[in-house]
């Protein structure tokens, strides 16, 4: 009888132990966070121009149980290719898709029509006031701040403002620049140039050689590069003020080819985009500090603050 009781007690103890272990196992596993999958769909023929944003996104992902993937959509596919890529990423299991589109208005219509604004977020390119979760610098303010910098630090009297693109961001920059300079002695003429290499190089040389302008404001990489090439050929080099976020633009500034640079901080944009997706971004602090873009010149490029931004991966 005693042996029978001991056997029953042993069985009950084993069953209770198994129940407790199963309970603990199930609760531990249920409490584990599922990795958040975030896809960045970016426009362009390669990912090189997005490497700073990618580095920022991957840094944020490391500490936040996230998996980040960058997918580029070649220019030749146009906005339809971007929309197809976004849809495919969502179908393949992405929790969020971050979009830096070449045609913001068309992609915005797609997002709104399909009620995707909680899962498809816009980064860098677009209108920052359209969506509260967009991670987009204020290009209008950038343009105003850059124009004010030019007013305070230059003796130019007539500028040629040039661009090969006229997207929502470029137009906002132009509006800000024109607003800041509208009542000043500095006059501006805008030229929309072809992006074809031979054509744009000749156009920039002709503008500089004409003697009508003592400076350029370049609004994209194509015009920046053409202005830099023109400087070597002009009888009298002009002042160049550029808005661009490429490594080449930093090189041109460091080499005294251009006078000043307005630079969007792609690393911070990528970092904040991931934090926005997982609900960690502090945008009230961000907006007050304007940390998504900077203005630098030859005197400040090697300051401690600017080196951390402009030479982030060279140290």
């Amino acid at each position: 009888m005693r042996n029978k009781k001991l056997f029953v007690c042993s069985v009950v103890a084993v069953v209770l132990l198994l129940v407790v272990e199963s309970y603990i196992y199930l609760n531990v596993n249920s409490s584990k966070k599922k990795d958040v999958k975030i896809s960045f769909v970016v426009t362009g023929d390669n990912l090189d121009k997005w490497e700073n944003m990618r580095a920022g996104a991957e840094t944020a992902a490391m500490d936040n149980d996230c998996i980040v993937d960058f997918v580029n959509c070649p220019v030749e596919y146009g906005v339809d290719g971007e929309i197809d890529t976004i849809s495919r990423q969502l179908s393949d299991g992405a929790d969020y898709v971050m979009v830096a589109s070449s045609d913001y208005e068309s992609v915005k219509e797609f997002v709104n029509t399909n009620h995707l604004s909680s899962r498809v977020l816009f980064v860098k390119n677009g209108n920052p006031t359209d969506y509260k979760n967009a991670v987009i610098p204020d290009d209008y303010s950038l343009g105003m701040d850059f124009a004010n910098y030019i007013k305070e630090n230059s003796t130019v009297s007539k500028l040629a403002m040039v661009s090969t693109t006229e997207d929502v961001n470029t137009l906002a920059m132009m509006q800000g620049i024109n607003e800041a300079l509208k009542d000043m002695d500095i006059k501006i003429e805008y030229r929309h140039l072809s992006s074809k290499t031979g054509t744009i190089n000749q156009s920039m040389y002709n503008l500089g050689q004409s003697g009508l302008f003592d400076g350029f404001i370049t609004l994209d990489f194509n015009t920046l590069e053409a202005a830099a090439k023109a400087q070597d050929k002009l009888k009298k080099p002009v002042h160049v003020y550029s808005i661009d976020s490429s490594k080449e633009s930093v090189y041109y500034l460091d080499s005294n080819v251009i006078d000043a640079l307005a630079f969007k901080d792609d690393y911070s944009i990528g970092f904040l985009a991931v934090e926005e997706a997982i609900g960690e971004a502090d945008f009230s602090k961000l907006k007050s500090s304007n940390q998504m873009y900077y203005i630098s010149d030859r005197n400040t490029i090697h300051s401690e603050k600017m080196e951390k931004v402009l030479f982030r991966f060279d140290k």
Side-chain angles (χ1 to χ4, degrees), residues 82-135:
E82 291 181 2
I83 290 173
D84 287 344
T85 304
I86 293 167
S87 300
R88 186 168 64 252
Q89 294 302 308
L90 292 171
S91 298
D92 289 347
D95 296 296
Y96 300 97
V97 176
M98 309 297 184
V99 184
S101 174
S102 61
D103 190 339
Y104 169 72
E105 294 297 336
S106 295
V107 176
K108 182 179 76 170
E109 182 180 357
F110 162 75
V111 169
N112 291 343
T113 301
N114 292 277
H115 309 290
L116 293 172
S117 60
S118 63
R119 296 185 64 195
V120 178
L121 284 64
F122 289 92
V123 297
K124 190 171 181 177
N125 299 346
N127 187 337
T129 63
D130 285 342
Y131 301 96
K132 65 179 181 180
N133 57 5
V135 187

Side-chain angles (χ1 to χ4, degrees), residues 147-148 150-152 154 156-158 177-188:
N148 286 324
I150 295 171
K151 284 192 299 187
E152 295 169 5
S154 175
V156 295
S157 59
K158 193 167 185 180
I177 291 169
N178 286 323
E179 180 65 24
L181 297 179
K182 67 179 181 180
D183 296 321
M184 303 302 296
D185 293 334
I186 301 174
K187 305 303 179 186
I188 292 184

Side-chain angles (χ1 to χ4, degrees), residues 206-223:
N206 291 344
L207 287 171
Q209 195 68 10
S210 69
L212 298 174
F213 307 98
D214 49 10
F216 297 139
I217 297 179
T218 69
L219 301 179
D220 58 19
F221 176 72
N222 291 328
T223 50

